Amino acid sequence: MDAVAPTGSGSRRTSRPRKSKVGWNLLGLLVFVTAGFPVYWMLNTAFKPAKDAIDPDPSLLPTGITFSNFSRALDIADFWGPVGRSLIVSLAVVAIGIVVGTLGALAISRFSFRGRKIVIVGILAVQMIPLVAMIIPVFLLLNDLDQYDKLSGLIITYLTFILPFTVWTLRGFIVNIPKELEEAAMVDGCSPTGAFLRVVFPLLAPGMVATSVYGFIQAWNEYLYALMLLSQKNQTATVWLGNFTTKHGTEYAPMMAGSTMMAVPIVVLFLLVQRKMAAGLTAGAVKG
């Protein structure tokens, strides 16, 4: 039999996915450039001479590299004190938030009680309230509790808007874990607590890690409440950056150097947990 010549429809079908893939790749590249350019510009300004940072016709590529901006940033005001206080606040918020948030999410997901839907709606409603609207009530409340200008007061304040997100996020992870896994573990002799620790907790690890990273970033980068609730002697790292703006103007190069140093803990944290986020997805899986 004579060979049948291939029609053009097959080649058209294969070319469409290729064009679609190229389009998605270009879109992803555009998003990456848009999101990454501010970070690049921060690093570029941090390492360029101070006079080049205020050049009205700046260059996209670095024209020279200097580390004097970092020493200038450290000389303007105490750096390690604010960074240490920010670390204390952020780590305390993450530790307390993940424990309380996990227990709250577990209660909402696994137990039926009166007012359960009201609690869920309340969690969503709290997240819709602008943080600016709560500054005066929070200030008055902390002042009455003798927590003004204290790190403990700032930690309590951060928990009020990080905990609702933590509970809501972990609830979604717990709901997706089949309850039958816990029941099977209890049939094998585990207590409810043991079933949670041996079965649910490993499967919940990715959600806990992702939520902890979010809480740390939120607490680390928060500026408004730290400015309003702490005096200058107890200022955090974000408020410390305000020292670069004076009546004589803004020192942009040292400010970008300070911002670069502030970004280091976030980058280190992400590098430490990124593998655990992926590995936790298969931890505790049931083998057939």
Side-chain angles (χ1 to χ4, degrees), residues 112-235:
S112 298
F113 54 90
R114 184 174 298 178
R116 178 171 172 268
K117 292 184 179 179
I118 297 177
V119 173
I120 296 176
V121 173
I123 291 174
L124 290 175
V126 169
Q127 298 183 71
M128 297 178 185
I129 300 175
L131 296 180
V132 179
M134 297 190 295
I135 289 181
I136 295 178
V138 168
F139 173 82
L140 295 176
L141 180 61
L142 292 181
N143 191 45
D144 292 339
L145 296 175
D146 194 25
Q147 291 296 316
Y148 174 73
D149 197 19
K150 293 183 179 179
L151 296 183
S152 56
L154 190 64
I155 292 171
I156 294 172
T157 304
Y158 286 173
L159 286 172
T160 58
F161 56 84
I162 290 178
L163 259 180
F165 175 84
T166 302
V167 173
W168 183 257
T169 304
L170 293 180
R171 174 186 174 273
F173 279 90
I174 295 176
V175 167
N176 290 327
I177 298 175
K179 194 174 182 179
E180 290 75 14
L181 294 177
E182 295 177 73
E183 295 174 350
M186 287 187 284
V187 169
D188 290 339
C190 285
S191 63
T193 304
F196 172 78
L197 294 176
R198 294 171 182 268
V199 178
V200 178
F201 183 78
L203 296 175
L204 191 59
M208 296 179 68
V209 171
T211 307
S212 299
V213 172
Y214 170 83
F216 185 90
I217 293 175
Q218 286 290 100
W220 179 265
N221 291 332
E222 204 283 324
Y223 172 78
L224 185 60
Y225 280 91
L227 177 65
M228 299 296 296
L229 301 179
L230 297 177
S231 63
Q232 188 170 2
K233 67 176 183 178
N234 290 326
Q235 66 183 0

Side-chain angles (χ1 to χ4, degrees), residues 9-23:
S9 59
S11 60
R12 284 196 297 269
R13 280 195 294 267
T14 56
S15 63
R16 287 176 183 174
R18 291 178 181 176
K19 292 181 180 179
S20 177
K21 187 175 181 180
V22 171

Side-chain angles (χ1 to χ4, degrees), residues 213-268:
V213 172
Y214 170 83
F216 185 90
I217 293 175
Q218 286 290 100
W220 179 265
N221 291 332
E222 204 283 324
Y223 172 78
L224 185 60
Y225 280 91
L227 177 65
M228 299 296 296
L229 301 179
L230 297 177
S231 63
Q232 188 170 2
K233 67 176 183 178
N234 290 326
Q235 66 183 0
T236 57
T238 50
V239 181
W240 170 80
L241 283 175
N243 292 316
F244 295 97
T245 301
T246 65
K247 61 181 180 180
H248 302 292
T250 302
E251 299 188 52
Y252 291 102
M255 177 181 284
M256 293 300 101
S259 301
T260 301
M261 290 187 290
M262 277 188 57
V264 170
I266 301 295
V267 175
V268 172

